[in-house]
Amino acid sequence: MNIILLGPPGAGKGTQARRLEVERDMIQLSTGDMLREARSSGTEMGERVAAIMDAGQLVTDEIVIGLIEEKLRGDRAGGFIFDGFPRTLAQADALSEILAKHDATLDAVVEMRVDDAALVERIVARSTCANCGEVYNDITKPIPDDGKCTNCGGTEFKRRADDNAEALTTRLMEYYKKTSPLIGYYYAKDQLRPVDGLGEIDAVAQSISAVLQETS
Ligand code: AMP
């Protein structure tokens, strides 16, 4: 089963994708993570996109489509979770072409609905484990008192360079201008499955499970 998690920054796509990986043996494909990796390993492409990412803008379709194409050639396990991709109509068209080329289908587009005030609150409070990427939130899921990651025991935590109020405004604007048209696009294809993304992590996970159950 291949699915897209669609929603604005801070909707909880990464958190839910990580759960689906564990529970359903699926593979999370986060273009944001791939781009951050390219930056930290100092590739030429990583250097080219750094300033764009820090400002909260979208990098070119060509770059992210290339990253996804490469990953789809590898192991497919229980299917892919597209997290943060597609973000434009051109990316959505490219994804259907790439999947068709691999004789694969897109089974559901899970739209994670949250309100803007909640997004800002979530994002400025967000940090991740530097070792395994587990996501924490100062309010809803604080780093444990012993300073150790609950997932891997790591002791270093980091905040993203683009998780600040200024970049967030741009990221939200990019979402509404370029990504939100995908809601209509997938609705018209009868693939859109909205879930309430505002609840507790477990409750949202259950809603997503119910959607995937219906689809399979
Ligand atoms: P994310 O981790 O998904 O929030 O992505 C972080 C940043 O990476 C975004 O603000 C963009 O600059 C870039 N990015 C990630 N995925 C895409 C995409 N599909 N298209 C364009 N830019 C992307």
Side-chain angles (χ1 to χ4, degrees):
M1 166 176 277
N2 299 308
I3 66 165
I4 293 173
L5 294 184
L6 181 64
K13 302 184 295 291
T15 302
Q16 295 298 332
R18 291 169 67 84
R19 275 184 78 127
L20 289 168
E21 276 200 313
V22 175
E23 289 167 12
R24 291 182 169 252
D25 189 30
M26 296 175 82
I27 297 174
Q28 175 191 19
L29 293 185
S30 157
T31 39
D33 285 350
M34 293 173 208
L35 291 165
R36 278 184 289 278
E37 209 175 291
R39 286 179 66 168
S40 60
S41 52
T43 65
E44 189 260 328
M45 183 271 278
E47 277 167 25
R48 236 181 326 135
V49 297
I52 299 171
M53 292 176 74
D54 286 348
Q57 293 161 350
L58 295 190
V59 310
T60 64
D61 289 335
E62 195 193 347
I63 288 179
V64 288
I65 292 167
L67 288 171
I68 288 287
E69 255 181 328
E70 195 144 306
K71 294 283 176 184
L72 289 197
R73 286 199 207 109
D75 175 24
R76 295 193 200 178
F80 294 113
I81 310 150
F82 297 96
D83 162 10
F85 180 92
R87 261 173 154 106
T88 63
L89 290 167
Q91 291 177 23
D93 283 337
L95 178 61
S96 15
E97 277 171 30
I98 300 168
L99 286 172
K101 230 193 289 171
H102 288 271
D103 283 326
T105 51
L106 181 62
D107 300 288
V109 178
V110 179
E111 181 203 353
M112 300 183 61
R113 292 195 171 162
V114 279
D115 69 54
D116 290 345
L119 293 178
V120 177
E121 229 169 68
R122 277 187 188 186
I123 286 188
V124 294
R126 176 161 78 174
S127 59
T128 55
C129 170
N131 180 46
C132 74
E134 183 76 4
V135 182
Y136 292 90
N137 180 290
D138 299 340
I139 302 148
T140 55
K141 188 184 164 192
I143 294 163
D145 287 341
D146 65 3
K148 288 188 181 159
C149 172
T150 47
N151 187 47
C152 74
T155 53
E156 236 183 88
F157 300 88
K158 55 184 186 185
R159 290 190 193 264
R160 280 171 46 169
D162 58 351
D163 276 354
N164 62 71
E166 200 188 335
L168 180 57
T169 307
T170 309
R171 285 159 72 196
L172 277 178
M173 198 60 89
E174 291 283 74
Y175 177 79
Y176 286 113
K177 282 204 287 202
K178 298 175 183 165
T179 309
S180 66
L182 297 183
I183 294 171
Y185 174 98
Y186 285 118
Y187 175 80
K189 290 184 158 211
D190 196 22
Q191 287 180 308
L192 195 72
R193 304 288 177 266
V195 299
D196 177 4
L198 264 186
E200 296 286 321
I201 293 172
D202 283 347
V204 178
Q206 270 177 20
S207 309
I208 295 176
S209 265
V211 161
L212 301 190
Q213 209 73 39
E214 272 168 34
T215 314
S216 56

